[in-house]
Amino acid sequence: MPSLPHRYRDLIVCSAPIARMPFRSPTARVVAALSLTQLIGWGATFYLPAVTGPAMAAELAMALPMVMAGPTVMLVVMAIVSWPLSTIFERHGARPVMAFGSPLGAAGLLIMGLAYGPVSYILSWTILGLAGACMLTTPAQIAVTEIAGEKARQALGVLILAGGLTSTIVWPLTGLLQDQWGWRTTTLTYAAAMLFVCMPLHWLTLARRPREQSAAKATSEPAPIDRPSFLLLAMSFAGNGFITWGFALTIIILFEAAGLDHASALTAAAFIGIARWAGRGVDFLGGRRWSGFLTGLVASALFPLSFAVLLLTSSFAGAMLFALLYGIASGVTAVTRATLPLQIFPSDTYARASAQLAVPLNLSYAAAPPLFTAIMTYWGPHAALWLALAISIVAFGTLLGLSLLHNQTKQASQAN
């Protein structure tokens, strides 16, 4: 468990990009508020069973795999709900939806903290899925674009950079709270944070849409989303997302299958987190100079390169090189998922396009861990690596195709 001074230094480093914005700026206030609410939101939901899962399983008389399936239920529900919410985000903005999602999340955590068996436990994750669709990641990114305007890409980069520290901060905190109070009180504490921290911040800091603007949007015909571009973007993002979420729980096993001892495998796995955060920082620093397509294509190309390294070598140096390439690719891709739609779709369709993109993304995130685990169990770690290599090549190809299509469309519009 990292010491408190190290965690404080992480927070200082994370807040440095925000500090460069004048804090009287509404954008800076929104980014700072959402950085905190996203940390609480993800830390209190998806990341919670990683620490409390064994204790939950013992007290609820449930198998640990069933307990760990809770976040998968949450992601599936988020995927189902995201598409219907897209129109609400576009017409009414993120503020009312996120303010509603906070107490809904608190209710889900309350039911979890009072759960007595599988039915109430799964019910809690279903409610958390509804809450997550209202307040986690995509809604936060929509809220930032509503207020940041032309600086949306930079502001999104800061938000995602801060989000990279969620597990680093929340896992030790959750472990400390569980040691002191048990998993039930820990869960109820997070429920209180959702209600008394997240909801006020969402309501007080996010952009208020003028009634005239909302009425105009409600009566006007929504701008169309280019479906070929949408499908290519969804395929690329879902493919790389399937890989990263699939390896999230199995990467240590992969390293050990490559011939590393357990300590070396842990070291290489831990380095991925550092490289991932660095990748997010690289995109933030260079985002204003580089096209979103350029950074996205470079990151997408690093994925198959990293898998080839791990397939061709069994040394610790090879594992560390894989961790560096894979981590940077994961970090840059996390930013690209939020910012590239700004470059592809009209600004007034960003909310709808982002919410609809969340459907294939969340489904791929939910399916990846059990599928990768099954592949590694029945066919071995190398089969999972070959599958990841194939999917990453397809993801790169679709993003390259989207880039070419976007350039052709742009040139055609300029010619006219």
Side-chain angles (χ1 to χ4, degrees):
M1 181 184 298
S3 62
L4 285 173
H6 281 89
R7 293 209 297 277
Y8 292 150
R9 284 200 292 273
D10 284 340
L11 284 170
I12 293 170
V13 170
C14 173
S15 63
I18 300 174
R20 285 197 282 270
M21 303 178 188
F23 202 74
R24 292 182 179 179
S25 160
T27 299
R29 289 197 297 270
V30 166
V31 170
L34 290 175
S35 295
L36 177 58
T37 64
Q38 294 302 288
L39 185 147
I40 294 172
W42 281 109
T45 58
F46 183 84
Y47 288 100
L48 184 66
V51 178
T52 63
M56 288 177 168
E59 189 166 340
L60 297 176
M62 295 170 58
L64 183 59
M66 187 173 183
V67 170
M68 301 304 287
T72 299
V73 173
M74 170 184 162
L75 291 172
V76 170
V77 174
M78 286 176 65
I80 294 171
V81 176
S82 291
W83 196 288
L85 279 176
S86 63
T87 303
I88 298 175
F89 279 120
E90 188 173 49
R91 292 185 177 182
H92 304 289
R95 178 174 174 256
V97 183
M98 295 189 75
F100 172 73
S102 308
L104 194 61
L109 290 171
L110 175 64
I111 293 173
M112 185 186 298
L114 302 176
Y116 53 84
V119 174
S120 51
Y121 180 77
I122 296 301
L123 174 63
S124 70
W125 283 106
T126 303
I127 296 173
L128 290 176
L130 296 172
C134 293
M135 63 170 287
L136 293 179
T137 302
T138 298
Q141 292 167 1
I142 292 170
V144 168
T145 59
E146 286 175 352
I147 205 164
E150 295 180 355
K151 296 182 178 179
R153 181 174 179 182
Q154 181 185 11
L156 286 169
V158 176
L159 179 66
I160 295 167
L161 192 64
L165 294 173
T166 299
S167 60
T168 303
I169 296 170
V170 171
W171 277 343
L173 176 61
T174 302
L176 179 63
L177 293 174
Q178 182 177 235
D179 290 342
Q180 296 295 319
W181 298 333
W183 72 268
R184 288 188 184 275
T185 303
T186 298
T187 304
L188 295 176
T189 300
Y190 284 138
M194 283 264 200
L195 187 61
F196 298 113
V197 177
C198 295
M199 185 175 72
L201 285 175
H202 290 155
W203 188 254
L204 296 174
T205 63
L206 301 189
R208 293 166 169 79
R209 288 197 167 191
R211 290 182 181 179
E212 312 84 58
Q213 180 182 346
S214 299
K217 280 187 172 289
T219 55
S220 63
E221 187 70 22
I225 295 173
D226 183 66
R227 285 301 158 189
S229 297
F230 180 90
L231 291 174
L232 289 171
L233 191 64
M235 287 177 62
S236 180
F237 285 174
N240 284 332
F242 182 81
I243 294 166
T244 54
W245 284 64
F247 280 144
L249 303 178
T250 57
I251 198 68
I252 295 175
I253 300 173
L254 279 175
F255 286 145
E256 291 176 340
L260 273 64
D261 59 65
H262 188 66
S264 298
L266 283 174
T267 302
F271 186 68
I272 290 175
I274 299 172
R276 181 182 291 121
W277 202 75
R280 296 183 183 204
V282 165
D283 188 272
F284 169 76
L285 294 173
R288 284 179 290 182
R289 297 187 296 272
W290 305 329
S291 162
F293 277 113
L294 175 62
T295 56
L297 285 169
V298 170
S300 192
L302 289 179
F303 276 120
L305 182 61
S306 70
F307 300 131
V309 167
L310 204 58
L311 283 166
L312 294 173
T313 182
S314 58
S315 66
F316 177 69
M320 291 297 287
L321 178 58
F322 163 82
L324 176 65
L325 297 173
Y326 176 84
I328 290 175
S330 300
V332 175
T333 301
V335 182
T336 305
R337 287 192 196 109
T339 58
L340 196 54
L342 286 169
Q343 191 171 336
I344 297 173
F345 305 114
S347 57
D348 58 348
T349 66
Y350 178 83
R352 180 160 35 106
S354 296
Q356 292 179 6
L357 278 170
V359 177
L361 289 181
N362 283 322
L363 288 176
S364 69
Y365 300 161
L371 284 178
F372 265 87
T373 302
I375 290 168
M376 293 179 66
T377 299
Y378 293 105
W379 291 287
H382 275 80
L385 271 178
W386 280 109
L387 176 64
L389 177 64
I391 292 175
S392 64
I393 291 172
V394 172
F396 173 78
T398 54
L399 187 60
L400 179 61
L402 175 60
S403 176
L404 296 174
L405 176 64
H406 181 73
N407 287 335
Q408 289 177 356
T409 304
K410 188 175 180 180
Q411 290 172 3
S413 63
Q414 289 175 349
N416 294 332

